[in-house]
Amino acid sequence: MFVASGIEFAVSRMGMSKSPMFKILIVEDNRTYRESLRDILDDEKFSSVIVEEAGDCREAMEKVDSFSPDFIFMDIKLPGENGLQLTQKIKAKHPGIIIIILTSYDLPEYQDAAVKYKADHCVLKHSFMPLLRLILTEGPPE
């Protein structure tokens, strides 16, 4: 699950789709990381992307219901319940949402837990933003 190819596929859908708009929800309690990720996604070159943010699980569930995102970038550790539990709840109600777990820890048990809780992908935070920048500026790999 710590593979770039899944992210490349998911993110390339945002910029390369003929669909008029993709909605992304960032669920992250670290405000600096959340805003940095939003800045990348809010770039004017990607006008087909709408981004919302949530800093905790309660706010995230409210945004899922009101915003109906196509993608969720979910921190694994959040105040209250964790991102894995929240992922499981969201997938039960909205199985079509693509959820990408973001973690700072390259541990096999996190990968296994992401699979168990129905996340679509699990990516290391330190490699995610550079990968996202690359995909959004150069497009998907051929």
Side-chain angles (χ1 to χ4, degrees):
M1 297 260 314
F2 282 109
V3 295
S5 61
I7 301 303
E8 290 166 354
F9 167 75
V11 176
S12 69
R13 285 181 46 191
M14 290 185 292
M16 306 313 242
S17 173
K18 293 180 182 168
S19 175
M21 204 56 65
F22 274 97
K23 296 191 267 183
I24 299 171
L25 177 61
I26 302 168
V27 183
E28 168 65 63
D29 61 322
N30 180 315
R31 183 178 176 184
T32 302
Y33 188 87
R34 187 175 68 234
E35 289 176 353
S36 296
L37 184 51
R38 183 185 185 116
D39 288 346
I40 293 169
L41 294 168
D42 270 347
D43 190 299
E44 64 186 45
K45 292 183 283 190
F46 312 110
S47 59
S48 63
V49 176
I50 298 174
V51 181
E52 287 286 328
E53 301 175 27
D56 59 42
C57 294
R58 179 196 53 77
E59 185 181 10
M61 280 306 293
E62 291 172 3
K63 296 262 176 127
V64 166
D65 291 334
S66 64
F67 180 59
S68 300
D70 300 299
F71 297 92
I72 298 175
F73 298 139
M74 175 88 67
D75 187 10
I76 201 166
K77 290 189 176 186
L78 294 165
E81 65 185 324
N82 68 46
L84 295 171
Q85 295 165 324
L86 182 58
T87 294
Q88 187 174 43
K89 285 182 180 180
I90 292 169
K91 284 293 199 173
K93 288 177 65 176
H94 308 278
I97 296 175
I98 296 172
I99 300 178
I100 300 164
I101 296 290
L102 303 174
T103 181
S104 297
Y105 308 99
D106 189 5
L107 300 172
E109 48 273 25
Y110 280 22
Q111 297 171 30
D112 295 342
V115 170
K116 177 183 173 187
Y117 285 90
K118 309 291 186 217
D120 295 286
H121 302 284
C122 189
V123 179
L124 293 170
K125 281 184 177 182
H126 72 271
S127 62
F128 181 67
M129 289 214 290
L131 175 63
L132 186 60
R133 278 188 192 98
L134 179 70
I135 293 166
L136 291 176
T137 56
E138 295 183 13
E142 298 193 17

